[in-house]
């Protein structure tokens, strides 16, 4: 199983490198979960929404992101609280894609990236 995961990560990294060659930008892996993720080029002040593991992408300037919200579902079992379906909901100024979601693997990871985005886009 670890070999499959490593192979998928290598393919994903290759997709980011291809995106950088195609756009002339310098995106780095940032956050995501499942088939959707977000990469950031701090210098160019751009975000890339990667779909299908990086096979498809859409670019956003920082100024095109109106706001975002970290959301999750709380589940209580046997006195223990867990957070499921943790994701960002982004609102943009693009008519073709006014709202999109990007999953994250934990609430803490989402909170960390929310603050990083706030600092980057200030």
């Amino acid at each position: 199983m670890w070999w499959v995961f490593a192979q998928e990560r290598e393919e994903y990294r290759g997709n980011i490198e291809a995106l950088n060659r195609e756009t002339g930008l310098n995106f780095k892996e940032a956050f995501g979960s499942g088939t959707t993720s977000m990469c950031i080029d701090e210098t160019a002040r751009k975000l890339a929404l990667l779909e299908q593991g990086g096979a498809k992408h859409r670019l956003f300037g920082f100024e095109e992101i109106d706001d975002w919200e970290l959301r999750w579902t709380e589940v209580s079992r046997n006195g223990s609280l867990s957070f499921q379906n943790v994701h960002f909901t982004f609102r943009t100024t693009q008519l073709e894609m006014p709202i999109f979601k990007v999953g994250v693997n934990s609430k803490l990871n989402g909170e960390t990236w929310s603050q990083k985005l706030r600092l980057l886009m200030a």
Side-chain angles (χ1 to χ4, degrees):
M1 182 59 124
W2 66 267
W3 183 79
V4 172
F5 178 73
Q7 195 173 23
E8 287 174 357
R9 299 301 296 163
E10 189 60 35
E11 181 179 326
Y12 181 73
R13 207 176 352 257
N15 287 336
I16 293 172
E17 291 170 5
L19 173 65
N20 286 338
R21 282 190 302 276
E22 179 183 326
T23 62
L25 298 169
N26 187 29
F27 289 104
K28 297 186 181 345
E29 184 174 353
F31 60 89
S33 179
T35 61
T36 305
S37 60
M38 182 72 72
C39 295
I40 300 170
D41 181 333
E42 295 177 35
T43 306
R45 299 185 55 80
K46 300 258 185 216
L47 300 173
L49 172 64
L50 302 178
E51 298 174 293
Q52 299 174 359
K56 289 176 44 181
H57 70 271
R58 180 179 290 263
L59 301 181
F60 297 90
F62 284 5
E63 72 281 357
E64 294 178 292
I65 303 296
D66 277 342
D67 66 353
W68 62 88
E69 185 177 11
L70 182 61
R71 297 180 177 182
W72 61 86
T73 303
E74 292 183 3
V75 178
S76 179
R77 285 195 189 115
N78 302 325
S80 178
L81 185 64
S82 66
F83 305 102
Q84 298 178 354
N85 191 28
V86 183
H87 65 277
F88 282 99
T89 299
F90 286 87
R91 292 172 191 81
T92 78
T93 60
Q94 289 190 5
L95 287 174
E96 312 80 43
M97 187 174 264
I99 296 175
F100 64 88
K101 294 179 182 182
V102 177
V104 289
N105 59 4
S106 71
K107 184 176 174 236
L108 178 60
N109 189 25
E111 290 171 340
T112 300
W113 274 107
S114 186
Q115 182 61 18
K116 286 182 180 182
L117 288 169
R118 215 172 300 297
L119 293 170
L120 285 169
M121 293 189 188

